């Protein structure tokens, strides 16, 4: 018996070794077009980033060692170029382009997938790479060592793109990620990806979502990456990670059936449409066990398992069936672990499958034991019988084991009730007596039974706020650090005595930080006769990142400073630091502990607080500003946030906005370039002194905050007329004096550029980065037919009352 295998890495090498173990006497030829076989392609990004230091460690076997151990005729740099299924032959091309023919009894195709390289102008420029194999890795590594890479752009935010972003960051590069979708990590739902966005931004990575690359252009020794939004990024190097497609050319030319998902079609035994010809790995499509629909699954575990199954079928006849994969995957994104299995909500929606979901935040292990961190778990399940469809997890530690357990349950048809029944190995360093997946199971069962009706973050974002009451049941301290707009704050412990404050004539959407206090409040309200009460799934912890607006700061043309261990920095600059460990506590625990400890110490003393709550760092910063304490440093390492605060003289104010009444509001009524410039200069100056600044854009001022590339919107006749008459964006604004039909404006921009003064657009972005609030006047928008979609994403729309609210808290109000 003579077996030929095409492709010598995951599926191919596994199959070759297994065939030999099953049959000592057969002949096996392993064809590989590259120079290497059986290497760790999953480790390639980590070698590029220097995490894996020795190149040799990537190679599990050399062609020689593999050949000797398994008695396989390994032929590297031998590419299969044609298959004749009738005569059972393969035409093979050697590196010197010589061709020869081999006969087979059984043939296996494991040619993998190839990276998508779209037809973008300039895509072949030097410094632009894709990553699939060792040759690509060597090319990238060589470029990194021979060039000064200060700025890198990664196009595509799938798991390989994100792994590359992290590893380029480890080389000291400023990293920007460009992604066509509105989220990173396409297999997971937006609300879970939003946690990854938050983390990437915290790490200093710039995120350009819902933007695609239109062109690459060489600019001296750099590459200009031009985006669909009109922005452009300057990079020393670009990694394209837009996705892969199954390598089916050889198979389709040989007449093998290609399926509806564009992979090689195989039956349950992994045999193709031709007898004795099999296929495995990234190149095949196979029905999804939950949907029954064929799909492509580019993962190493299925490729390896299929290699083993197919080997048995090639040796013993078609006896072992492959059951299919549900897409269980995991990736490290800086300090986070992101994992998923089964079907996320977005896929269930696309397939029109009814489902419910639950989001829970729990500790990776007992919160009182050091270094506990948060795990966010999202479950999707059948709303009737609780059958689990999918799970996604994001956290620092312990995400993998939870997702693996749920994956096993999904593959065996398990339900959310099985999550509660699972028996866990428990001791404080490893888990809690109620494990995160048991908690997820309890919450999901409360949702199904109707005990805890839920709403989701997107319901609140899209619904009419006048039609429900938003009730924040967290403490007043948590509330003052940020809440959902228009919320009423009644802490859960005060709820029973303050029921009269809650309108009884409309639905109540209750929320807390993670969902538990919200659930308790919901039960209190229902017990006191309130009818429609919903708890926000995942609480404010899920809502906040999901609605956050991403703002990027322009990277400098120099290497980033890596955050090393916090400890040496502290030791160097400070002596006698008072330490406070709040790890394992969820909000508001850390911030309350910080406040209590600061109350106890003397002015000028320094407190170092460690926390594993991802929101703590930002909360502490805001808290310091409003209480008159000084934030000395704010660092993070492996999911642990360390904040150092020097106690200052106390302020009596309670909330950020009313603090000292020192807010500033500016009304921009004009569409003239010079007036708009003055507005942003003033706003930036005020914001730099830590004051709350709001700009209210009304009438002609709306033209200053229009997008350059606007989506198509429907307008009435007057809207269309205004559209023609008004400047289409800030780039078209004219001067108030000496406009000279627009030439004055151009001259002003030219002079500003020459004198190194920031442009209007740059000052506007700085204002946003400094936290200046942009409010567009609803009434002016209606009058002038301006739609929300035409304005910058960061703008909120409000009425006179909103402006008056801000003006009330300010001591300077300017009309420009
Ligand atoms: C950078 C990177 C990181 C990854 N990380 C992960 C991860 O963390 N987890 C995970 O589950 N998966 C990961 N993957 C995906 C995983 O590696 C693949 O799913 C798996 O290798 C697929 O196995 P395969 O045998 O189908 O293809 P491959 O392992 O890609 O092997 C195919 C081989 O076939 C050869 N070949 C193709 N055509 C011919 C021909 N005509 N003649 C001869 N040889 C040919 C190719 O040169 C290639 O070496 C990663 C992939 C990459 C590139």
């Amino acid at each position: 018996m003579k077996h030929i295998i095409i492709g010598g890495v995951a599926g191919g090498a596994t199959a070759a070794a297994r065939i030999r173990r099953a049959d000592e006497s057969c002949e096996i030829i392993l064809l590989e077009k590259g120079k290497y076989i059986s290497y760790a392609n999953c480790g390639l990004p980590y070698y590029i980033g220097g995490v894996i230091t020795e190149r040799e460690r990537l190679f599990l076997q050399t062609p020689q060692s593999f050949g000797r151990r398994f008695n396989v005729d390994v032929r590297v740099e031998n590419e299969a170029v044609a298959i004749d299924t009738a005569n059972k032959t393969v035409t093979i091309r050697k590196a010197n382009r010589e061709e020869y023919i081999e006969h087979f009894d059984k043939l296996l195709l494991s040619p993998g997938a190839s990276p998508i390289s779209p037809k973008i102008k300039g895509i072949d420029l030097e410094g632009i790479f894709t990553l699939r194999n060792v040759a690509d890795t060597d090319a990238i590594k060589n470029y990194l060592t021979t060039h000064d890479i200060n700025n890198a752009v990664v196009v595509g935010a799938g798991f390989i793109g994100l792994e590359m972003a992290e590893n380029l960051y480890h080389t000291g590069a400023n990293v920007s990620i460009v992604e066509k979708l509105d989220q990173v990590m396409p297999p997971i739902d937006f609300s879970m990806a939003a946690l990854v966005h938050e983390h990437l931004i915290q790490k200093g990575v710039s995120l350009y979502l819902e933007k695609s690359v239109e062109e690459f252009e060489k600019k001296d020794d750099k590459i200009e990456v031009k985006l669909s939004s009109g922005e452009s990024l300057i990079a020393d190097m670009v990694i394209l990670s837009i996705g892969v497609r199954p390598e089916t050319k050889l198979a389709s030319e040989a007449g093998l059936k290609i399926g509806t998902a564009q992979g090689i079609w195989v039956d349950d035994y992994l045999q193709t449409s031709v007898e004795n010809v099999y296929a495995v790995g990234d190149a095949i499509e196979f029905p999804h066990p939950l949907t029954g629909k064929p799909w492509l699954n580019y993962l190493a575990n299925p490729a390896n398992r299929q290699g083993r199954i197919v080997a048995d079928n090639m040796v013993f006849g078609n006896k072992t069936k492959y059951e299919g994969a549900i897409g269980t995957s995991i990736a490290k994104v800086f300090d986070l672990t992101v994992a998923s299995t089964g079907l996320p909500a977005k896929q269930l929606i696309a397939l029109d499958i009814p489902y419910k979901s639950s989001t829970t935040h729990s500790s990776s292990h007992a919160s009182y034991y050091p270094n506990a961190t948060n795990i966010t778990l999202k479950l999707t399940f059948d709303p009737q019988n609780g059958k689990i469809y999918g799970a996604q997890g994001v956290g620092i530690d312990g995400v993998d084991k939870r997702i693996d357990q749920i994956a096993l349950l999904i593959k065996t048809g398990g339900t959310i009730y099985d999550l509660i029944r699972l028996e866990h190995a428990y001791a404080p360093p490893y888990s809690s007596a109620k494990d995160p997946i048991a908690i997820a199971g309890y919450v999901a069962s409360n949702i199904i039974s109707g005990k805890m009706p839920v709403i989701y973050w997107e319901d609140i974002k899209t619904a009419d706020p006048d039609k429900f009451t938003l009730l924040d049941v967290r403490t007043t301290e948590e509330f003052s650090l940020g809440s959902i707009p228009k919320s009423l704050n009644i802490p859960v412990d005060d709820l029973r005595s303050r029921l009269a404050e809650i309108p009884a004539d409309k639905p109540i959407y209750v929320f807390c930080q993670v969902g538990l206090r919200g659930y308790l409040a919901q039960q209190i309200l229902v017990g006191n006769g309130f009818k429609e009460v919903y708890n926000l799934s995942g609480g404010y912890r899920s809502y906040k990142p999901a609605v956050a607006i991403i703002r990027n700061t322009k990277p400098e043309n120099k290497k980033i400073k890596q955050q090393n261990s916090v400890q040496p920095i502290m030791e160097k600059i400070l002596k006698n630091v008072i330490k406070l460990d709040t790890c394992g506590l969820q909000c508001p625990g850390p911030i309350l502990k910080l406040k209590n400890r600061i109350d106890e110490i003397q002015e000028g003393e320094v407190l170092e607080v460690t926390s594993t709550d991802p929101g703590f760092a930002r909360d502490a910063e805001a808290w310091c500003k409003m209480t008159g304490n000084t934030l000395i440093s704010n660092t993070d390492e492996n999911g642990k946030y360390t904040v150092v605060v020097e106690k200052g003289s106390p302020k009596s104010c309670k909330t950020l906005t009313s603090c000292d009444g020192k807010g500033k509001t500016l009304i921009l009524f004009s569409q003239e370039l010079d007036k708009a410039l003055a507005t942003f200069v003033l706003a930036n100056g005020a914001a730099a002194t830590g004051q709350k600044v709001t700009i209210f854009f009304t009438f002609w001022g709306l033209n200053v905050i229009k997008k350059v590339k606007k989506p198509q919107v429907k307008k009435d006749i007057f809207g269309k007329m205004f559209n023609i008459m008004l400047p289409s964006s800030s780039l078209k604004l004219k001067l108030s004096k000496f406009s000279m039909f627009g030439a004055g404006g151009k001259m002003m921009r030219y002079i500003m550029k020459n004198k190194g003064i920031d442009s209007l657009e740059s000052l506007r972005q700085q204002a946003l980065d400094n936290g200046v609030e942009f409010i567009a006047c609803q009434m002016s928008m209606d009058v002038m037919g301006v739609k929300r979609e035409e304005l910058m994403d960061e703008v909120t729309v409000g009425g006179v009352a909103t402006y008056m609210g801000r003006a009330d808290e300010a001591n300077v109000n300017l009309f420009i």
Side-chain angles (χ1 to χ4, degrees):
M1 181 70 71
K2 182 172 172 183
H3 300 283
I4 294 186
I5 298 170
I6 300 171
V9 189
T14 304
R18 176 78 177 171
I19 290 174
R20 175 57 70 225
R21 288 198 293 274
D23 181 358
E24 183 56 25
S25 61
C26 66
E27 184 184 351
I28 309 170
I29 298 175
L30 183 63
L31 301 174
E32 169 54 55
K33 68 177 176 188
K35 282 187 185 161
Y36 308 93
I37 61 154
S38 193
Y39 61 83
N41 35 14
C42 307
L44 300 178
Y46 299 98
Y47 169 65
I48 293 171
V51 178
I52 298 172
T53 48
E54 289 163 54
R55 185 174 178 278
E56 301 320 306
R57 301 290 300 269
L58 297 171
F59 303 101
L60 309 175
Q61 292 274 2
T62 65
Q64 296 73 23
S65 66
F66 189 87
R68 200 164 47 245
R69 172 160 297 174
F70 297 107
N71 185 21
V72 170
D73 181 356
V74 180
R75 301 183 190 172
V76 291
E77 297 188 281
N78 274 246
E79 181 180 0
V81 289
I83 301 167
D84 181 342
T85 54
N87 294 309
K88 293 184 125 181
T89 60
V90 179
T91 305
I92 302 156
R93 186 181 294 150
K94 294 201 237 174
N96 62 10
R97 308 208 58 82
E98 232 175 65
E99 289 189 4
Y100 64 99
I101 289 177
E102 281 285 354
H103 172 266
F104 64 83
D105 294 311
K106 304 222 169 168
L107 176 68
L108 171 63
L109 279 81
S110 187
S114 46
I116 295 170
S117 201
K119 289 199 179 359
I120 299 173
K121 198 170 164 204
I123 198 161
D124 297 324
L125 288 175
E126 193 199 359
I128 302 179
F129 300 89
T130 55
L131 174 63
R132 191 68 204 165
N133 52 34
V134 178
D136 300 336
T137 307
D138 288 340
I140 296 171
K141 191 87 179 165
N142 180 45
Y143 202 80
L144 278 167
T145 44
T146 53
H147 293 75
D148 203 15
I149 307 296
N150 294 334
N151 290 297
V153 170
V154 175
V155 185
F159 72 90
I160 297 180
L162 292 183
E163 285 174 0
M164 277 311 299
E166 179 185 345
N167 281 287
L168 288 169
Y169 170 92
H170 289 318
T171 69
N174 292 286
V175 180
S176 302
I177 299 176
V178 181
E179 166 60 55
K180 207 171 182 176
L181 300 176
D182 60 353
Q183 66 164 87
V184 302
M185 286 269 171
I188 63 174
D189 285 324
F190 180 85
S191 58
M192 298 298 279
L195 299 169
V196 186
H197 299 167
E198 191 182 53
H199 188 65
L200 286 167
I201 291 162
Q202 224 157 25
K203 288 288 176 187
V205 172
S206 301
L207 269 183
Y208 295 87
L209 300 176
E210 291 185 272
K211 286 161 193 174
S212 48
V213 175
E214 301 220 312
E215 188 183 340
F216 297 106
E217 196 181 328
K218 197 92 196 156
K219 280 274 158 84
D220 303 321
D221 57 342
K222 303 199 182 293
I223 303 161
E224 185 179 355
V225 185
K226 296 183 181 174
L227 307 187
S228 51
S229 55
E231 292 156 289
S232 70
L233 310 172
I234 300 296
D236 299 299
M237 160 179 225
V238 175
I239 301 286
L240 286 177
S241 190
I242 301 173
V244 291
R245 60 167 69 95
E247 191 66 72
T248 53
K249 186 167 175 276
L250 193 60
S252 68
E253 284 174 2
L256 304 182
K257 181 175 165 187
I258 304 298
T260 49
Q262 301 308 308
I264 302 174
W265 180 91
V266 290
D267 65 13
D268 288 353
Y269 301 98
L270 301 168
Q271 184 172 267
T272 67
S273 53
V274 173
E275 204 182 350
N276 294 322
V277 179
Y278 295 81
V280 294
D282 288 357
I284 67 164
E285 62 174 56
F286 199 86
H288 192 293
L290 295 176
T291 66
K293 293 192 179 2
W295 76 303
L296 303 158
N297 185 207
Y298 307 112
L299 291 169
N301 169 279
N304 279 276
R305 284 202 48 243
Q306 291 159 12
R308 192 181 158 94
I309 291 170
V310 87
D312 286 357
N313 290 337
M314 288 167 79
V315 174
F316 304 116
N318 293 349
K319 292 194 178 125
T320 313
K321 283 189 179 179
Y322 175 58
E323 80 292 350
I326 55 171
T328 308
S329 61
I330 191 159
K332 176 179 176 302
V333 185
F334 290 84
D335 302 337
L336 283 186
T337 303
V338 186
S340 75
T341 183
L343 301 171
K346 61 173 151 189
Q347 226 170 314
L348 291 160
I349 293 167
L351 291 163
D352 217 7
I353 299 175
Y355 76 97
K356 280 264 177 209
S357 78
S358 72
T359 300
T360 45
H361 307 272
S362 325
S363 275
S364 55
H365 59 247
S367 54
Y368 54 82
Y369 187 86
N371 296 333
T373 52
N374 180 64
I375 295 180
T376 302
L377 276 181
K378 177 170 180 178
L379 288 180
T380 50
F381 48 90
D382 186 313
Q384 302 302 323
N385 59 20
K387 185 177 160 182
I388 310 170
Y389 288 142
Q392 301 152 58
V394 175
I396 306 288
D397 182 35
V399 173
D400 48 348
K401 77 169 172 179
R402 273 70 187 206
I403 291 296
D404 286 349
Q405 280 176 311
I406 301 174
L408 183 62
L409 275 181
I410 295 176
K411 285 200 94 168
T412 51
T415 68
I416 52 155
Y417 308 107
D418 292 317
L419 295 174
I420 301 164
R421 281 193 282 269
L422 272 184
E423 205 170 296
H424 302 99
Y426 160 63
Y430 304 103
S431 179
S432 301
K434 268 194 214 126
D435 189 82
I437 66 172
I439 290 173
Y442 289 127
V443 170
S445 68
N446 280 344
I447 292 174
I448 286 196
S449 67
K451 197 165 168 40
M452 188 181 81
V454 279
I455 38 132
Y456 300 98
W457 69 272
E458 56 269 50
D459 300 331
I460 293 181
K461 197 183 169 204
T462 51
D464 178 352
D466 295 332
K467 298 232 162 88
F468 55 86
T469 303
L470 263 173
L471 182 62
D472 183 342
V473 295
R474 299 174 303 156
T475 60
T476 42
E477 285 84 1
E478 287 171 278
F479 181 74
S480 69
L481 292 171
S483 184
I484 303 176
K486 299 199 172 172
S487 301
L488 171 67
N489 177 224
I490 306 180
V492 65
D493 295 336
D494 302 345
L495 195 55
R496 287 186 182 88
S497 58
R498 293 178 58 186
L499 292 171
E501 295 174 36
I502 306 167
D505 57 344
K506 45 187 178 179
I508 304 166
Y509 294 172
V510 184
F511 68 95
C512 63
Q513 187 65 14
V514 297
L516 179 61
R517 284 173 289 169
Y519 173 52
L520 300 178
Q522 185 179 34
Q523 302 312 306
I524 294 171
L525 291 171
V526 171
N528 282 281
F530 287 88
K531 288 280 172 297
E532 275 190 88
V533 189
Y534 301 86
N535 188 18
L536 172 61
S537 184
Y540 189 61
R541 177 74 195 101
S542 287
Y543 176 89
K544 194 177 163 198
V547 299
I549 291 165
I550 293 172
R551 292 183 185 130
N552 296 311
T553 42
K554 244 195 184 144
E556 292 175 54
N557 189 21
K558 61 178 185 194
K559 287 215 178 334
I560 45 168
K561 274 197 205 113
Q562 301 271 340
Q563 276 183 10
N564 289 321
S565 173
V566 189
Q567 213 52 35
I569 308 172
M570 297 320 309
E571 238 96 271
K572 224 164 91 191
I573 56 167
L574 299 162
K575 286 188 196 124
N576 304 326
V577 176
I578 302 161
K579 302 210 174 194
L580 175 65
D581 181 2
T582 68
C583 293
L585 294 182
Q586 299 224 349
C587 182
I591 205 81
L592 290 181
K593 290 233 172 235
L594 164 64
K595 179 189 176 299
N596 292 342
R597 197 73 187 91
I598 284 280
D599 285 348
E600 289 163 8
I601 66 177
Q602 302 299 314
E603 208 177 312
E605 281 189 307
V606 173
L607 179 66
E608 179 195 302
V609 192
T610 44
S611 167
T612 45
D613 175 17
F616 174 65
R618 221 174 304 157
D619 286 352
E621 206 170 325
W623 182 84
C624 283
K625 261 192 199 161
M626 73 188 202
T627 53
N629 296 293
T630 308
L631 183 83
I632 294 179
S633 72
N634 189 342
T635 46
D636 72 88
E637 192 182 29
N638 295 330
K640 207 175 193 180
Y641 302 87
T642 303
V643 166
V644 179
V645 179
E646 184 185 338
K647 178 160 177 169
S649 50
K651 286 188 183 182
S652 56
C653 58
K654 281 254 183 310
T655 61
L656 248 180
T657 45
S658 63
C659 189
D660 295 344
K662 270 197 177 169
K664 309 275 179 269
T665 67
L666 299 98
I667 300 175
L668 183 58
F669 175 78
S670 162
Q671 62 178 19
E672 286 151 345
L673 176 66
D674 39 355
K675 293 185 182 168
L677 278 166
T679 305
F680 293 122
V681 169
L682 287 170
N684 282 328
T689 58
Q691 297 171 21
K692 169 89 185 155
V693 184
T694 303
I695 309 178
F696 192 68
F697 297 86
T698 184
F699 282 93
W700 319 113
L702 289 173
N703 298 318
V704 180
I705 46 171
K706 280 183 181 167
K707 284 179 184 161
V708 177
K709 288 203 173 174
K710 291 180 264 309
Q712 287 279 351
V713 286
K714 260 196 171 164
K715 291 191 184 231
D716 60 18
I717 179 80
F718 300 110
K720 283 179 188 158
M721 280 167 64
F722 272 120
N723 209 26
I724 297 165
M725 293 183 305
L726 295 175
S728 59
S729 75
S730 62
L731 297 172
K732 304 280 183 219
L733 304 186
K734 295 183 179 146
L735 284 181
S736 59
K737 292 199 166 48
F738 308 120
S739 170
M740 298 177 289
F741 304 105
K746 286 195 182 118
M747 196 172 81
M748 173 73 93
R749 283 183 183 268
Y750 176 78
I751 296 168
M752 283 170 65
K753 193 173 173 193
N754 278 356
K755 293 196 182 286
I757 300 168
D758 284 320
S759 66
L760 172 70
E761 291 68 32
S762 163
L763 288 167
R764 186 179 61 189
Q765 188 57 44
Q766 281 171 33
L768 287 168
D769 294 340
N770 287 333
V772 174
E773 186 183 23
F774 286 13
I775 301 178
C777 170
Q778 179 72 69
M779 189 273 285
S780 313
M781 286 170 67
D782 293 343
V783 171
M784 298 167 88
V786 176
K787 302 285 180 213
R788 172 68 192 86
E789 303 90 294
E790 295 178 273
L791 300 179
M792 294 167 69
D793 294 337
E794 292 89 343
V795 172
T796 49
V797 177
V800 175
T802 315
Y803 168 73
M804 285 304 168
R806 303 296 187 275
D808 213 26
E809 292 162 357
N811 62 355
V812 172
N813 304 299
L814 297 175
F815 187 91
I816 301 172

